[in-house]
Amino acid sequence: MKGYAGKLLRVNLSTGTVADEPLPLPVVKDFIGGLGFGIKYLYDELAPHVDPLGEHNKLMLVPGVLAGTQAQGVARWLAITKSPLTGLFARSCCGGDFGAWVKFAGYDFIIIEGKAEKPVYLYISADGIQLKDAAELWGKDTAYTQDWLSRQHGSDVRTACIGPAGERLVKYAAIVSGRRTASRCGVGTVMGSKLLKAVTIKARRNLNLHDPEGYGRLVKEQIEIMRASNEYHKNRKYGTTDGAITRNVIGVYPVRNYRYGELEGYQKLSPEAYKKLEVGDFGCYSCSIRCGKIHVVPEGPYAGARSEGPEYESYWAFTGPIDSNNIESTIAADQLCDDLGLDSISTGNTIGFAYELYEKGIITKDDTDGLELTYGNHAAMISLIEKIGRREGFGDILAEGTLRAAKQIGKGAEAYAMQTKGLELAGYEPRGLKGTGFGYATNTMGGAHTNGTVMFQEWGMPVPRAVDRFAEEDKADILIFNQHNDSGLEVGIVCFFAFMCGDWYQRLFSKMLQTATGIKEFADRGYLNKVAERIWNLERAFGVREGFDRTHDILPRRFQTEPLHTIEAEGEGQVLRKLDQFLDEYYQLRGWTKTGIPSREKLQELSLGYVVKDIEPFLIRK
Ligand code: SF4
């Protein structure tokens, strides 16, 4: 099997055994790689209602099919599991080198199951695969852990690990590799529940492509297309640090727990301001964009803080929710989240929730360990991050995420939990980007900003057609287009920032898949779209089997009852009113029932007939 290792590694932590398993060709053809492999194996191997933090959940570390090749921006990898935050399928994407190293080690992906008796780490090298004692590392942050493993096994290893947050089962703990994170949905929490501190790989670069010369020509073309685009040079120069300006100008930068769409004084978070603090950059394996900008705070209360980032989502999370435009605290908060192994989006969103509860008097200093959660108080935010990551004091409640924390706090706090299906929403205001709001509502893993929103069309990119960002009608087809597009990207796994650099993906990606693997069907873009639709439906079926349906495709009431406020940007007074109407159209176009269940016919059309028996009870009941 060219382009693939042709096998996966299965690690059972309960028995301490490891085994190679062949990757069946029909799975390769039906799911291609990356996200496809992850959801296929997770669906098939997990019984419904498995405890996400129990022995029977599984964690998969899955690179894309092109990881480790010389193509640009295709080396990302996914952590896939059942989420302890949502109870749904979870997929969290990470950059860096680790995905390429999985391939170099001779595996298409790794499945981790069971639970160790004591903390361990997995070490993979040409000399064998070992589960090793991690007692020295338990309790240590992710920077120390990776340094220690590099000292132990050589600087050429690559590691994915958890920090104190994962060990303490913070519900939104991340897996960290280098300074990149697979952060959403609590994938690090699952790793912590298994007492697995790290996976470290030592491997030599090697791949076995079907047509290396042809592939090399396609990569050359890819690089030319990317370098001719403005996006490439913008990302290379600034990374994502232009986000505060571009989002605030149009009033979609959520502020004060999604009450406002514009941050006062957002100009202080400009790309030029971040540039002044930049000391270097970082690129994922074989990516010349090098969008990771390393920042250091030179002076003041956060002097010495250093982070590779923050990326847009992170610095939004450390500013908008608490109404602060302090740039230095975003760098300190980012470093802290990476060290502790926390998802910055859920962390910032949950802290913003706490600030609103404090403002409304639902909680007081007696509840917050004496911290004053007043807007603009970034020092209190930093304290809360530390408390959450270590589950100390009030942090122990916030470590549960907004939905569970609200239930614990009571007094109507649930109304202020800005989440969908238990996953905290990201830095995009749905009343100013209404199709993106519908994306939050229908996302198979909860309120995520990746895997299908309409934000780029709503910002004015007319591909495949232009849309009015305030309109609520006629957006179902475009959302489905994007959901499938994003699933297609993640078989690669293509980085979204690289995807945005010219039209190489549309022109070359299918050819790259075919040239790398020799599987002729992959050259057809229609085939890739079908695989993407299969993936989306299987993700949905996973949720249905867990009891999710239309009643869960919702948004926080705030967006449907309270008008958006801006300062100067367009969008003042916007409310999102037609979610129900949208869902009718969306389900119909998808071939699902009115209650949001994939129909028998649709599943059979997608060669997912074997799933019908699992969701039959839900089809009958509804
Ligand atoms: S664009 Fe940035 S995040 Fe994407 S692959 Fe390149 S360096 Fe990594």
Side-chain angles (χ1 to χ4, degrees):
M1 209 186 284
K2 300 284 185 174
Y4 293 94
K7 65 182 194 293
L8 61 100
L9 174 64
R10 191 178 292 275
V11 180
N12 189 312
L13 296 170
S14 299
T15 58
T17 53
V18 297
D20 289 1
E21 246 173 58
L23 183 62
L25 188 59
V27 173
V28 170
K29 286 203 164 182
D30 281 355
F31 291 93
I32 300 181
L35 180 63
F37 289 169
I39 183 59
K40 166 70 178 161
Y41 275 79
L42 193 77
Y43 186 94
D44 289 1
E45 296 196 1
L46 244 57
H49 310 301
V50 153
D51 174 3
L53 300 181
E55 190 179 3
H56 298 298
N57 195 7
K58 302 193 183 194
L59 173 67
M60 302 176 187
L61 307 178
V62 194
V65 59
L66 301 181
T69 70
Q70 70 270 43
Q72 303 275 294
V74 297
R76 293 179 74 85
W77 59 278
L78 297 169
I80 289 177
T81 189
K82 181 176 178 182
S83 166
L85 199 56
T86 65
L88 284 161
F89 149 82
R91 138 265 172 247
S92 194
C93 194
C94 187
D97 293 340
F98 184 79
W101 257 245
V102 174
K103 289 292 288 278
F104 296 154
Y107 295 105
D108 290 307
F109 60 103
I110 301 170
I111 299 179
I112 295 157
E113 51 195 31
K115 178 177 177 172
E117 277 179 5
K118 57 181 183 150
V120 293
Y121 72 92
L122 176 68
Y123 178 56
I124 300 171
S125 75
D127 297 330
I129 297 166
Q130 295 164 278
L131 285 165
K132 294 174 96 69
D133 190 348
E136 284 250 10
L137 296 171
W138 207 246
K140 298 291 193 296
D141 70 31
T142 62
Y144 178 93
T145 298
Q146 293 180 81
D147 283 351
W148 188 91
L149 288 163
S150 291
R151 284 198 302 276
Q152 205 74 13
H153 299 292
S155 58
D156 55 343
V157 299
R158 296 296 184 274
T159 291
C161 70
I162 56 166
E167 294 174 15
R168 289 166 175 78
L169 306 183
V170 174
K171 289 286 190 319
Y172 42 92
I175 300 174
V176 179
S177 184
R179 300 301 284 177
R180 297 283 168 140
T181 58
S183 54
R184 301 243 65 196
C185 301
V187 293
T189 321
V190 173
M191 193 158 156
S193 74
K194 296 186 174 304
L195 298 182
L196 179 64
K197 180 69 180 177
V199 177
T200 296
I201 303 176
K202 191 185 195 78
R204 295 168 77 93
R205 288 174 172 77
N206 70 85
L207 284 178
N208 183 16
L209 300 184
H210 163 70
D211 173 7
E213 288 77 27
Y215 191 78
R217 283 193 294 277
L218 289 171
V219 172
K220 195 160 168 279
E221 213 179 318
Q222 179 205 22
I223 293 170
E224 280 164 14
I225 294 170
M226 287 173 74
R227 288 194 176 154
S229 72
N230 292 334
E231 197 70 16
Y232 176 88
H233 297 285
K234 189 207 73 158
N235 285 342
R236 195 168 154 76
K237 184 166 182 187
Y238 293 118
T240 57
T241 59
D242 65 334
I245 303 294
T246 53
R247 276 67 163 180
N248 274 289
V249 161
I250 62 168
V252 297
Y253 193 87
V255 175
R256 295 197 181 203
N257 210 22
Y258 297 83
R259 280 179 284 171
Y260 303 85
E262 204 177 337
L263 178 74
E264 207 170 336
Y266 66 82
Q267 295 83 353
K268 286 196 174 162
L269 298 168
S270 68
E272 292 76 21
Y274 274 108
K275 201 78 186 162
K276 286 187 187 145
L277 305 178
E278 190 182 311
V279 296
D281 60 19
F282 171 85
C284 304
Y285 184 82
S286 190
C287 183
S288 62
I289 299 174
R290 298 184 69 81
C291 75
K293 304 302 170 194
I294 301 166
H295 299 106
V296 171
V297 179
E299 57 192 14
Y302 304 111
R306 177 189 176 97
S307 81
E308 186 195 307
E311 305 294 342
Y312 169 69
E313 290 296 342
S314 298
Y315 68 78
W316 162 76
F318 305 136
T319 55
I322 64 158
D323 200 353
S324 159
N325 60 5
N326 182 284
I327 196 166
E328 289 84 6
S329 61
T330 69
I331 295 167
D334 199 44
Q335 178 179 17
L336 202 47
C337 279
D338 288 350
D339 283 345
L340 291 166
L342 279 170
D343 171 18
S344 56
I345 297 175
S346 281
T347 302
N349 180 312
T350 304
I351 289 173
F353 156 79
Y355 274 55
E356 186 169 6
L357 297 188
Y358 190 87
E359 180 196 22
K360 297 212 157 31
I362 295 172
I363 56 173
T364 68
K365 270 165 82 166
D366 291 340
D367 303 296
T368 64
D369 311 322
L371 290 171
E372 286 187 21
L373 306 188
T374 46
Y375 286 113
N377 187 352
H378 45 82
M381 170 186 72
I382 297 287
S383 300
L384 277 183
I385 293 173
E386 188 84 45
K387 283 173 178 291
I388 290 169
R390 300 189 187 281
R391 275 194 180 269
E392 289 168 359
F394 184 51
D396 190 37
I397 296 175
L398 298 186
E400 289 295 301
T402 52
L403 194 57
R404 288 180 179 82
K407 285 185 178 138
Q408 257 182 274
I409 292 165
K411 303 183 213 167
E414 214 165 313
Y416 308 104
M418 304 308 284
Q419 51 73 38
T420 292
K421 302 185 184 98
L423 183 63
E424 285 72 29
L425 303 181
Y428 302 92
E429 166 53 55
R431 285 161 296 191
L433 298 166
K434 290 185 177 163
T436 296
F438 297 145
Y440 283 147
T442 55
N443 198 299
T444 50
M445 59 180 207
H449 67 292
T450 51
N451 295 52
T453 67
V454 188
M455 67 179 79
F456 291 96
Q457 289 88 356
E458 292 187 322
W459 281 341
M461 192 176 74
V463 180
R465 64 177 171 81
V467 297
D468 171 359
R469 68 190 174 100
F470 296 121
E472 296 189 49
E473 294 80 14
D474 299 325
K475 286 192 166 170
D477 67 319
I478 201 96
L479 179 61
I480 291 170
F481 173 89
N482 286 358
Q483 288 173 340
H484 292 174
N485 186 67
D486 289 356
S487 295
L489 287 173
E490 291 201 344
V491 303
I493 297 167
V494 178
C495 172
F496 201 79
F497 304 130
F499 161 77
M500 293 292 287
C501 297
D503 60 354
W504 71 269
Y505 177 79
Q506 293 80 355
R507 285 165 58 182
L508 305 177
F509 182 64
S510 294
K511 282 188 220 164
M512 282 174 158
L513 288 175
Q514 188 271 324
T515 312
T517 64
I519 298 175
K520 63 179 185 319
E521 290 92 328
F522 291 178
D524 173 11
R525 272 197 63 79
Y527 187 91
L528 176 61
N529 288 341
K530 209 55 173 174
V531 170
E533 187 179 5
R534 183 174 299 130
I535 290 171
W536 194 270
N537 276 267
L538 196 53
E539 291 173 7
R540 181 72 179 191
F542 187 98
V544 169
R545 206 171 57 166
E546 296 291 333
F548 287 78
D549 62 14
R550 180 181 187 128
T551 58
H552 301 89
D553 288 343
I554 53 176
L555 287 165
R557 276 186 63 73
R558 165 160 286 164
F559 300 130
Q560 297 165 80
T561 55
E562 294 178 28
L564 175 65
H565 295 298
T566 58
I567 303 167
E568 288 182 339
E570 219 184 331
E572 173 69 31
Q574 286 288 332
V575 178
L576 206 151
R577 298 187 192 283
K578 297 182 180 167
L579 177 59
D580 234 32
Q581 190 179 313
F582 168 84
L583 289 179
D584 286 340
E585 191 189 346
Y586 175 84
Y587 295 153
Q588 191 185 15
L589 285 178
R590 278 217 164 276
W592 295 356
T593 67
K594 280 188 164 39
T595 53
I597 315 290
S599 66
R600 284 181 202 92
E601 298 72 24
K602 175 52 73 177
L603 292 170
Q604 272 148 2
E605 176 201 317
L606 294 169
S607 310
L608 292 173
Y610 77 100
V611 170
V612 172
K613 68 175 185 334
D614 300 338
I615 64 169
E616 197 91 67
F618 303 94
L619 285 164
I620 292 164
R621 203 168 69 204
K622 309 289 175 180

